[in-house]
Amino acid sequence: MQLGWTKHGDGASISPGAVVAPGERLTWPRTIGVGLQHIVAMFGATFLVPLLTGFPPSTTLFFSAIGTIGFLLITGNRLPSYLGSSFAFIAPISAATASDGQAAAIGGIFVTGVLLAVVGVVVHLAGSRWIDLVMPPIVTGVIVALIGLNLAPAAWGNFQVAPATAVVTLVAVVLVSVLFRGILGRLAILVGVLVGYAFAAVRGEVDFTAVQDASWFGAPTFTAPSFEPGVLGLFLPVVFVLIAENVGHVKSVAAMTGQNLDDRMGRALLADGVATTLAGTGGGSGTTTYAENIGVMAATRVYSTAAYWVAGIGALLLSFSPKFGEVINTVPPGVLGGVTTILYGMIGVLGFRIWVQNRVDFGDPVNLTTAAVPLVIAIANYTWAVGDLAFEGIALGTAAALVLYHGMRWIGRWRGTTPDVASPASAAPPAETDETADRSS
């Protein structure tokens, strides 16, 4: 493991076309500055999950910081990433909390982390090509999409509480994303929340009583998990989403840095699994590698893991301020309604983006059916109860996607009615051109 860093050039500047590699760093003042940007980048999305699920924000931040530091250690300090709250957990946490309490939801997070860690070990030992076979782009895309679309009713519920505040928040997010370039434009959700929060405060929709009563320093609140078989099925689909997100993160960083990081794939999955398992021992939200922080790296061209150590340590320090956590808890429903209207939609569209990027052929009835049926199941939130086990839209939609795709492909090959389709695992990677390199960065 490489825990030290070599200085990039003079440490003060980056020449045109150059990047600061994971094993390099700028001067420490500049590295700290970039690390603080990573804290800001993850902030809005990481805190939205506890706000929407009722988890303590300080506890979520604590496990996010611990998870990030652990991720750096497990990946040998070669893979830059911040582990923030995964939106894939919002729906199962909300459903589990409503039916069996918060401890049961935390137990679901724990089990998810263990399963992901096991997948990480398997990938590290056997390679990652089997992931592409089990989860081709059509399946991965529909799982990501159905999670976002299944959450639409929750966004509408918050929106109705304070429609004016929700509209102001939503408009602010939209405008910031197109009015500003660089890091500010990438933080549109955070800025939109701040604008909506200010508007809500002026309208008297924010209660600061808990903030005034909270102390400046104190340990996060921890909650032990409980394991209810009836809710564990809600969390199984999240494993597939976390696999897709981590694999995508490794490939993105490899493309931007020009390094081959395939040997880190299993470690990345293991690290996120360990981080999510730790969160499930004390009441934190499950974690994932953050696209928001990839945006910071792309904007700064600094991929140094030293900046992520700064971000992890900084987030850890912030987690020990109860007053800071109570400030986050004061965000009113109207603001959440506005921001989640666009956020949940974006999660859904990210699934469609996977289809577009991989040129999924919807003229193929197998692909069309694999996408169509699970989406309706998730949007309508189909429910199936078997004894104490209850499976809802996300779990049933995920199962439907896997069964339909592989079942129809098998029958098609047996009957000779559908051709074999080349998967990413069986196709040679295309040669990278200057144009594709520019797009990937």
Side-chain angles (χ1 to χ4, degrees):
M1 176 183 295
Q2 176 185 335
L3 285 179
W5 301 271
T6 58
K7 186 180 290 187
H8 178 85
D10 60 3
S13 59
I14 307 172
S15 58
V19 299
V20 179
E24 300 177 327
R25 67 169 176 85
L26 298 174
T27 60
W28 280 113
R30 289 174 173 80
T31 298
I32 291 173
V34 175
L36 295 178
Q37 286 188 72
H38 282 299
I39 292 178
V40 173
M42 68 83 186
F43 185 87
T46 290
F47 277 105
L48 269 179
V49 176
L51 281 174
L52 296 170
T53 58
F55 278 26
S58 294
T59 308
T60 293
L61 186 60
F62 173 83
F63 284 109
S64 171
I66 294 296
T68 298
I69 293 171
F71 185 95
L72 294 171
L73 291 173
I74 293 174
T75 58
N77 210 33
R78 285 184 52 198
L79 187 60
S81 178
Y82 189 91
L83 294 190
S85 304
S86 171
F87 291 118
F89 282 98
I90 295 174
I93 288 176
S94 300
T97 301
S99 62
D100 293 271
Q102 192 177 84
I106 296 170
I109 294 171
F110 181 91
V111 172
T112 302
V114 171
L115 291 175
L116 183 61
V118 171
V119 172
V121 172
V122 172
V123 170
H124 183 68
L125 296 176
S128 61
R129 292 173 65 87
W130 65 273
I131 293 178
D132 292 323
L133 296 173
V134 176
M135 295 174 55
I138 179 62
V139 173
T140 304
V142 77
I143 292 174
V144 173
L146 65 82
I147 284 178
L149 298 179
N150 177 261
L151 290 167
W156 174 233
N158 280 323
F159 200 102
Q160 293 178 88
V161 175
T165 300
V167 169
V168 168
T169 304
L170 177 59
V171 170
V173 174
V174 172
L175 290 179
V176 170
S177 66
V178 294
L179 285 176
F180 302 99
R181 298 178 179 176
I183 186 65
L184 187 59
R186 296 180 186 276
L187 298 178
I189 289 178
L190 175 60
V191 176
V193 168
L194 294 176
V195 171
Y197 187 94
F199 183 80
V202 171
R203 290 168 56 88
E205 298 173 2
V206 183
D207 183 3
F208 294 102
T209 303
V211 178
Q212 295 170 354
D213 295 340
S215 58
W216 281 102
F217 302 102
T221 302
F222 299 109
T223 303
S226 67
F227 301 96
E228 303 293 338
V231 303
L232 294 181
L234 298 170
F235 290 85
L236 295 180
V238 179
V239 177
F240 294 99
V241 178
L242 297 181
I243 291 171
E245 290 177 338
N246 278 275
V247 170
H249 180 86
V250 174
K251 290 181 178 178
S252 295
V253 174
M256 290 188 291
T257 61
Q259 297 183 354
N260 186 345
L261 296 173
D262 286 351
D263 64 330
R264 302 288 108 173
M265 194 79 74
R267 290 187 179 220
L269 292 166
L270 171 62
D272 192 14
V274 170
T276 297
T277 302
L278 288 175
T281 63
S285 299
T287 63
T288 188
T289 49
Y290 252 28
E292 289 85 347
N293 296 89
I294 287 182
V296 173
M297 291 190 288
T300 61
R301 292 182 295 166
V302 177
Y303 302 91
S304 172
T305 55
Y308 282 96
W309 279 94
V310 172
I313 293 171
L316 184 62
L317 294 176
L318 284 175
S319 71
F320 283 90
S321 175
K323 190 176 289 291
F324 177 74
E326 290 299 337
V327 168
I328 304 302
N329 271 330
T330 61
V331 177
V335 174
L336 297 178
V339 73
T340 53
T341 295
I342 189 169
L343 187 65
Y344 294 163
M346 284 181 173
I347 296 172
V349 173
L350 284 176
F352 306 154
R353 183 185 179 190
I354 292 173
W355 296 337
V356 172
Q357 289 178 330
N358 290 276
R359 300 176 181 176
V360 173
D361 178 16
F362 284 102
D364 182 343
V366 174
N367 290 338
L368 186 62
T369 306
T370 300
V373 174
L375 286 178
V376 172
I377 290 174
I379 293 170
N381 199 34
Y382 285 28
T383 303
W384 179 38
V386 183
D388 292 334
L389 292 174
F391 301 95
E392 297 190 1
I394 293 178
L396 293 177
T398 299
L402 290 166
V403 171
L404 284 170
Y405 178 82
H406 292 289
M408 292 179 74
R409 281 277 176 246
W410 182 83
I411 293 173
R413 286 193 295 268
W414 171 58
R415 294 290 297 165
T417 56
T418 58
D420 286 332
V421 177
S423 72
S426 62
E432 185 177 85
T433 64
D434 291 340
E435 181 182 357
T436 57
D438 290 341
R439 283 201 302 267
S440 67
S441 61

